[in-house]
Amino acid sequence: MKKSEEDMWKNGAYREMRKAGRTDHQARFSIGTKHARMESDAAALFGAIKAMLTAAVGRLAKNVVELFAFKGSGQR
């Protein structure tokens, strides 16, 4: 949904860009690009954290299985 220019003036970043001489289109595009970049950076960070946790849980599960397999074999 496209906001009216009047609604956009309520956004501080938009207001500053317009006062600096940018057109309505340039100011809208800059704000959208900034938000898209922030969202993609956050998604990449959370994806990396999820991968690290998944790997850690996998290693823990492997170690537990090996521990029980070793104890069950009757070796000391």
Side-chain angles (χ1 to χ4, degrees):
M1 181 173 142
K2 186 173 179 178
K3 290 185 177 182
S4 68
E5 189 173 355
E6 183 179 305
D7 288 338
M8 290 300 295
W9 275 97
K10 295 175 185 174
N11 183 310
Y14 177 86
R15 201 170 36 249
E16 290 301 316
M17 284 187 260
R18 288 303 305 265
K19 288 179 182 177
R22 292 199 178 177
T23 65
D24 176 57
H25 179 74
Q26 290 171 329
R28 285 176 190 262
F29 184 76
S30 294
I31 291 169
T33 301
K34 178 182 175 185
H35 288 292
R37 192 176 312 124
M38 288 177 6
E39 288 177 12
S40 67
D41 290 348
L45 177 63
F46 290 128
I49 291 170
K50 182 180 176 184
M52 289 173 41
L53 289 173
T54 301
V57 168
R59 281 192 302 271
L60 178 63
K62 178 184 173 195
N63 290 341
V64 168
V65 168
E66 288 175 353
L67 177 65
F68 284 112
F70 179 74
K71 284 186 174 184
S73 67
Q75 298 179 13
R76 290 187 178 222

